Amino acid sequence: MPGEFALIERIRARAGRRDDVVLGIGDDAALLAPPPGHELAVSCDTLVAGVHFPDDTAPADIGHKALAVNLSDLAAMAAAPAWGTLALTLPDANQAWLDDFLDGFLALADEHGLALVGGDTTRGPMAITVNVFGLVPAGQALRRDGARPGEDIWVTGTIGDAAGGLAQWRARGPASAKLRHRLDRPTPRVQAGLALRGLASAGIDLSDGLAADLGHVLAASGVGARIELGRLPASRTLADHFDEPRRWALQAGGGDDYELCFTAPASRAFEIEQAMAALDLPATVVGRVVAGAGLRFDTPEGEAWTPPADGYQHFSGGHA
Ligand code: ADP
Ligand code: MG
């Protein structure tokens, strides 16, 4: 597009550096030097305007979220972020928009030591595709297929806030800025993922909601689960704005929290608590893995509960 090179130059001037980047933005491809003994964790996610974020989302928030959802995938694999690429499709070569976008994107990249090493810039309806590359010592990645019957199921932080923020935005009624912030500015649990190496047996990040995402772990591991709704960690704000069972629907069926859900043998519970306390990130046991198939939610009274189908699922779904 006209102005493409001016935009790329603005990006290049601000992109972070790493010693293992032999050649970054500016050639036909980046040259990267992965350390010996590591596996490369590679993930890609696209955000489309009006689909993956509300149209009124600030450019800096879009930049943050575009990278955060990708870092969250690395966190879920227990991989350390290293490099990223950015494919930007923009309706016009708007430099002010780009500068704001980069404020959000690069602040998060710097926070996690990720270097932006390349990308592509084209004209069209706004879409942002990010690729991330992370490093994990060979054999130590946290996969979806390691959950075993009897293990605890944990989630980090609190869940349901982002879906609550989205539900309020859609209803066009009273809205909590805190809930909306969780939707716009998810915190990828990168340090938690790294701390879970050798402790957790399986893990996933919560992009599409607990029911859907835990379902992927159960399917990959060939096991079932029971979750106690009364144990699902809710923020004070979520509890103030949504009563049960609406809150449960948001927590079990709503996406976009980008917390981690993982399984571990009960014998590891103390070490996990210590590790999470050191990160100042609460983690909560919400249920357990069982033999067989299926995911059952129990109310505090012990009755089976099904998340409503009309649900609070992500309004686009699918960028796990
Ligand atoms: P080519 O035509 O060879 O693909 P481009 O003109 O698309 O080259 O890109 C020139 C350089 O700028 C490449 O190194 C590319 O990776 C980088 N680049 C292009 N767009 C972006 C972007 N949005 N973010 C980061 N780097 C980019
Ligand atoms: Mg290109």
Side-chain angles (χ1 to χ4, degrees):
M1 77 169 124
E4 170 191 344
F5 294 110
L7 292 189
I8 295 173
E9 179 47 33
R10 284 179 109 74
I11 297 170
R12 193 199 58 75
R14 294 181 58 184
R17 311 263 180 269
R18 280 172 66 103
D19 289 345
D20 53 14
V21 178
V22 179
L23 195 57
I25 295 172
D27 212 310
D28 293 309
L31 295 175
L32 310 169
H38 286 69
E39 287 164 354
L40 206 50
V42 179
S43 182
C44 176
D45 265 317
T46 295
L47 299 191
V48 175
V51 179
H52 296 92
F53 52 86
D55 299 314
D56 62 355
T57 307
D61 290 341
I62 298 170
H64 174 99
K65 189 162 183 176
L67 183 57
V69 302
N70 279 278
L71 289 174
S72 180
D73 283 320
L74 292 183
M77 298 301 290
W83 312 297
T85 62
L86 169 63
L88 276 177
T89 304
L90 302 175
D92 56 70
N94 183 333
Q95 294 195 349
W97 185 94
L98 179 71
D99 289 344
D100 291 346
F101 173 90
L102 291 175
D103 287 345
F105 187 98
L106 293 175
L108 189 62
D110 290 346
E111 187 185 320
H112 292 284
L114 177 133
L116 181 61
V117 297
D120 196 25
T121 306
T122 54
R123 185 198 291 269
M126 184 186 292
I128 299 127
T129 298
V130 175
N131 277 279
V132 286
F133 304 84
L135 296 166
V136 59
Q140 289 190 34
L142 189 56
R143 301 160 47 136
R144 295 181 179 182
D145 58 4
R148 297 291 172 259
E151 291 180 342
D152 292 329
I153 299 170
W154 297 73
V155 296
T156 60
T158 60
I159 57 175
D161 289 339
L166 180 60
Q168 290 182 332
W169 176 76
R170 282 168 151 180
R172 300 287 195 274
S176 152
K178 274 193 185 171
L179 297 182
R180 179 62 193 259
H181 187 78
R182 285 279 326 253
L183 179 67
D184 289 341
R185 289 257 166 184
T187 304
R189 301 303 189 185
V190 172
Q191 296 305 322
L194 297 179
L196 290 171
R197 281 180 191 164
L199 291 178
S201 57
I204 194 167
D205 65 318
L206 296 178
S207 55
D208 294 330
L210 181 64
D213 292 321
L214 177 58
H216 297 315
V217 171
L218 302 178
S221 299
V223 293
R226 287 187 77 148
I227 298 292
E228 291 179 46
L229 290 164
R231 291 214 208 180
L232 296 181
S235 70
R236 186 59 197 280
T237 310
L238 189 72
D240 284 348
H241 285 260
F242 296 94
D243 291 333
E244 297 166 354
R246 195 137 184 254
R247 185 164 77 237
W248 294 336
L250 294 167
Q251 294 188 283
D256 269 323
D257 287 314
Y258 298 97
E259 296 294 347
L260 296 181
C261 173
F262 58 95
T263 57
S267 60
R268 296 296 207 174
F270 181 66
E271 287 165 275
I272 290 170
E273 269 165 18
Q274 299 277 91
M276 295 299 136
L279 297 173
D280 221 3
L281 177 66
T284 310
V285 174
V286 297
R288 68 190 155 81
V289 182
V290 299
L295 171 56
R296 175 182 158 129
F297 289 95
D298 288 305
T299 67
E301 290 73 39
E303 287 158 16
W305 178 90
T306 312
D310 64 322
Y312 299 99
Q313 75 254 49
H314 191 287
F315 64 141
S316 61
H319 58 83

